[in-house]
Amino acid sequence: MKHHKDMVTKEEIQAFFDAQFKGSNLMIEQVENQYALLRRVVTQQDLRPGGTVSGPFMMTLADAALYAAIFGTLGIEEMAVTTNLNMSFLQKPKAEAALTAECTLLKVGKTSVVGDVVIRSEGESAPVAHAVGTFALPKN
Amino acid sequence: MKHHKDMVTKEEIQAFFDAQFKGSNLMIEQVENQYALLRRVVTQQDLRPGGTVSGPFMMTLADAALYAAIFGTLGIEEMAVTTNLNMSFLQKPKAEAALTAECTLLKVGKTSVVGDVVIRSEGESAPVAHAVGTFALPKN
Amino acid sequence: MKHHKDMVTKEEIQAFFDAQFKGSNLMIEQVENQYALLRRVVTQQDLRPGGTVSGPFMMTLADAALYAAIFGTLGIEEMAVTTNLNMSFLQKPKAEAALTAECTLLKVGKTSVVGDVVIRSEGESAPVAHAVGTFALPKN
Amino acid sequence: MKHHKDMVTKEEIQAFFDAQFKGSNLMIEQVENQYALLRRVVTQQDLRPGGTVSGPFMMTLADAALYAAIFGTLGIEEMAVTTNLNMSFLQKPKAEAALTAECTLLKVGKTSVVGDVVIRSEGESAPVAHAVGTFALPKN
């Protein structure tokens, strides 16, 4: 299993996200080897009929959490690309609460990374969504 | 297999989408029983490092294509919600081209619908992404 | 979240498995509310070219772990059926070792259950496969 | 997109399957570039409570259909391995009928192949299950 040679800080990843995903409200709360915790504020425009947070909003968050966990493990690999994302929507998130996404990497290979993401309404223990994602790593 | 009693037109679904997903550029090109074809223009802000169309942009398109195909089959079921979406990203879309999403429903049950979506760069035959999605239907 | 009214023991679930899945070598090691741990011995006929444990062997194990965790939560719901199973194969399992499958339920709803399964070569910490599965529950 | 240099016949793939998957009843009906059609007889031991064909039985069939379509495209790549398989079970297959699996490859890359599989009860048009699978190709 790979380990990062050069520690990347939470602040560096946040700066990268702020530049790349402008206006996305993706906050890096914690990053470690093979792990990331993100937080995303939910605004009125992210809601769907019935007051539900939109699926794509949660998919964006899951994808970002995987990306951040890869950065925390391998450094800023900006050319890592998602090849598969499987999202399960479990229950309606609270409309008024921010969402958190906790990503754990299951495999860090030479050419691909697989990770697991649990999304929760902030302050709740039961997950609202779950994702498994695969990223392809650029050849070095 | 269910069939729609009241034909919903492409224009009615477009009007619903325009109201619900403001500024999303989701165009309904064709809708039939168990089928929908959507088109989405790609703008500069939808691109990622390396000129790639972002994953979430394609997931939004896939999700919308499923939603439209459900509407074409059952009428405007706005409370239908995604329970699972499995996205495979196959190749880098052309940055300058619009994307199309062709959805075929595989199952139309009483409580759930499953469909298949193929996303292409407009004018190309090889798919750039593929999705399988499940929606839960509200109890009537 | 549902809780089981009538405790089902590990032995009762084992007896059900032995009757239903004859010769499958599926051992129930532990069952709790929303949790199950299974073990499956790998035999020569379960191997593929290159000494790899076959994919279907691990899928059967993942599916069984979900089934057992549902039984541990709701009692023996033999009519629960898999509606979706997403398997990620992470690394080659050790050919000579038994496999374990640890299932945690993410959602226990009225009509469906979603769970997560981690498969490992016995005695190893890194997962060899990961599954997310959805089961539909019979209407009572 | 890759094309096979050396045509592999249906009979050669059948011989490989008969040797590797003894007693599995996997019949290759048709193989072309990026396409395979398989047939599998259902026996009493493949059934589950309620007369349902077991999930793993269909997963084995889907996996084999992908493997055969890869062989039809690239020659007998026995070291190709499944990295992801997403199965959707759509409706109960007829207990007495054989199953067919029709696989179309969506992507044939240098290091991975992605394909789509539709499983039907023989003689029926509505699918009973759907799969999307990714295989990793060995480095040459």
Side-chain angles (χ1 to χ4, degrees):
Chain A
M1 202 163 288
K2 282 192 189 181
H3 289 273
H4 47 166
K5 287 167 197 158
D6 305 299
M7 198 67 172
V8 180
T9 65
K10 191 176 81 165
E11 288 72 21
E12 288 169 308
I13 299 175
Q14 186 68 61
F16 176 86
F17 272 55
D18 290 344
Q20 292 294 341
F21 313 121
K22 287 198 185 75
S24 67
N25 289 327
L26 292 162
M27 300 301 300
I28 316 292
E29 299 284 302
Q30 195 181 340
V31 178
E32 292 176 29
N33 188 37
Q34 305 203 51
Y35 178 86
L37 176 65
L38 272 67
R39 181 178 190 275
R40 193 175 191 194
V41 167
V42 176
T43 64
Q44 196 58 33
Q45 70 179 22
D46 305 318
L47 301 180
R48 281 296 155 78
T52 303
V53 179
S54 80
F57 181 89
M58 288 188 270
M59 291 188 262
T60 302
L61 176 56
D63 198 50
L66 284 155
Y67 209 36
I70 292 170
F71 289 4
T73 311
L74 301 175
I76 296 200
E77 284 275 12
E78 67 172 315
M79 299 308 289
V81 291
T82 319
T83 55
N84 185 263
L85 189 71
N86 184 62
M87 287 287 305
S88 303
F89 300 97
L90 305 169
Q91 58 170 314
K92 195 174 152 171
K94 288 176 142 183
E96 71 277 22
L99 293 178
T100 63
E102 191 165 18
C103 174
T104 309
L105 299 186
L106 295 163
K107 174 196 169 178
V108 182
K110 282 178 199 163
T111 59
S112 67
V113 174
V114 180
D116 183 282
V117 183
V118 177
I119 296 181
R120 295 182 177 86
S121 288
E122 201 170 36
E124 303 288 322
S125 62
V128 297
H130 178 269
V132 188
T134 305
F135 274 65
L137 299 177
K139 283 157 206 139
N140 294 310
Chain B
M1 201 162 290
K2 281 193 192 180
H3 289 273
H4 47 167
K5 289 169 197 158
D6 304 300
M7 198 69 172
V8 180
T9 65
K10 191 176 82 166
E11 288 71 23
E12 287 169 309
I13 300 176
Q14 186 68 61
F16 176 86
F17 272 54
D18 289 346
Q20 291 295 340
F21 313 122
K22 287 197 185 75
S24 67
N25 289 326
L26 293 163
M27 299 301 299
I28 315 293
E29 300 283 302
Q30 196 181 339
V31 178
E32 292 174 29
N33 187 36
Q34 305 203 50
Y35 178 85
L37 176 66
L38 272 67
R39 181 178 188 275
R40 193 176 191 194
V41 168
V42 177
T43 64
Q44 196 57 35
Q45 70 180 21
D46 304 318
L47 302 179
R48 281 294 156 78
T52 304
V53 178
S54 79
F57 181 89
M58 288 188 270
M59 291 187 264
T60 302
L61 177 55
D63 198 50
L66 285 154
Y67 209 36
I70 293 169
F71 289 3
T73 310
L74 302 175
I76 297 201
E77 283 276 13
E78 67 172 314
M79 299 308 288
V81 291
T82 319
T83 55
N84 186 263
L85 189 70
N86 184 62
M87 287 288 304
S88 302
F89 300 97
L90 304 169
Q91 58 170 314
K92 194 175 152 170
K94 288 176 143 183
E96 70 276 23
L99 293 178
T100 62
E102 193 165 16
C103 175
T104 308
L105 299 187
L106 297 162
K107 175 196 171 178
V108 182
K110 283 178 200 163
T111 59
S112 68
V113 174
V114 180
D116 183 280
V117 183
V118 177
I119 296 180
R120 295 181 175 88
S121 288
E122 200 171 36
E124 304 288 322
S125 61
V128 298
H130 179 270
V132 188
T134 305
F135 274 65
L137 299 177
K139 282 157 208 142
N140 294 309
Chain C
M1 202 163 289
K2 281 191 189 180
H3 289 273
H4 47 166
K5 290 168 196 157
D6 305 300
M7 198 69 173
V8 180
T9 66
K10 189 175 83 166
E11 289 71 23
E12 288 169 309
I13 299 176
Q14 186 69 61
F16 176 87
F17 272 54
D18 289 347
Q20 291 294 342
F21 314 121
K22 287 198 186 73
S24 67
N25 289 325
L26 292 162
M27 300 301 300
I28 316 292
E29 299 284 303
Q30 196 181 338
V31 178
E32 292 175 29
N33 187 35
Q34 305 204 50
Y35 178 86
L37 176 66
L38 272 68
R39 181 178 188 276
R40 194 175 190 195
V41 167
V42 177
T43 66
Q44 196 58 35
Q45 70 180 21
D46 304 318
L47 301 179
R48 282 294 157 78
T52 303
V53 179
S54 81
F57 181 89
M58 288 188 269
M59 291 188 264
T60 301
L61 177 55
D63 198 50
L66 285 154
Y67 209 35
I70 292 170
F71 290 3
T73 311
L74 301 175
I76 297 200
E77 284 275 11
E78 67 172 315
M79 299 308 289
V81 292
T82 319
T83 54
N84 185 264
L85 189 70
N86 184 63
M87 288 286 305
S88 303
F89 300 98
L90 304 170
Q91 59 170 313
K92 196 174 150 171
K94 288 176 139 182
E96 71 275 23
L99 293 179
T100 62
E102 192 165 18
C103 175
T104 308
L105 298 186
L106 296 162
K107 174 195 170 178
V108 182
K110 283 178 199 164
T111 59
S112 68
V113 173
V114 180
D116 183 280
V117 183
V118 177
I119 297 180
R120 296 181 176 86
S121 287
E122 201 171 38
E124 303 289 323
S125 62
V128 298
H130 178 269
V132 187
T134 305
F135 275 65
L137 299 177
K139 282 158 209 141
N140 293 310
Chain D
M1 205 163 285
K2 279 192 189 180
H3 289 272
H4 48 167
K5 288 169 196 157
D6 305 299
M7 197 69 172
V8 179
T9 66
K10 191 175 83 165
E11 290 71 22
E12 288 170 309
I13 299 175
Q14 185 68 63
F16 176 87
F17 272 54
D18 289 346
Q20 292 295 341
F21 314 121
K22 287 196 185 75
S24 66
N25 289 326
L26 292 163
M27 300 301 299
I28 316 292
E29 298 285 302
Q30 195 182 340
V31 178
E32 292 175 29
N33 187 36
Q34 305 204 51
Y35 178 86
L37 176 66
L38 271 68
R39 182 179 188 274
R40 194 175 191 194
V41 168
V42 177
T43 65
Q44 196 58 36
Q45 70 180 22
D46 305 318
L47 301 179
R48 281 296 156 76
T52 303
V53 178
S54 80
F57 181 88
M58 288 188 268
M59 290 187 263
T60 301
L61 176 54
D63 198 49
L66 284 155
Y67 209 36
I70 292 170
F71 290 4
T73 310
L74 302 175
I76 296 200
E77 285 275 11
E78 68 172 312
M79 299 309 288
V81 291
T82 319
T83 54
N84 185 263
L85 189 70
N86 185 64
M87 288 288 304
S88 303
F89 300 97
L90 304 169
Q91 58 170 313
K92 196 174 151 171
K94 288 175 140 182
E96 71 275 24
L99 293 179
T100 62
E102 192 166 17
C103 174
T104 308
L105 299 187
L106 297 162
K107 174 196 169 177
V108 182
K110 283 178 197 162
T111 59
S112 68
V113 174
V114 180
D116 184 280
V117 183
V118 176
I119 296 181
R120 294 182 176 87
S121 288
E122 201 170 36
E124 303 288 322
S125 61
V128 298
H130 178 270
V132 188
T134 304
F135 274 66
L137 300 176
K139 282 158 207 140
N140 293 308

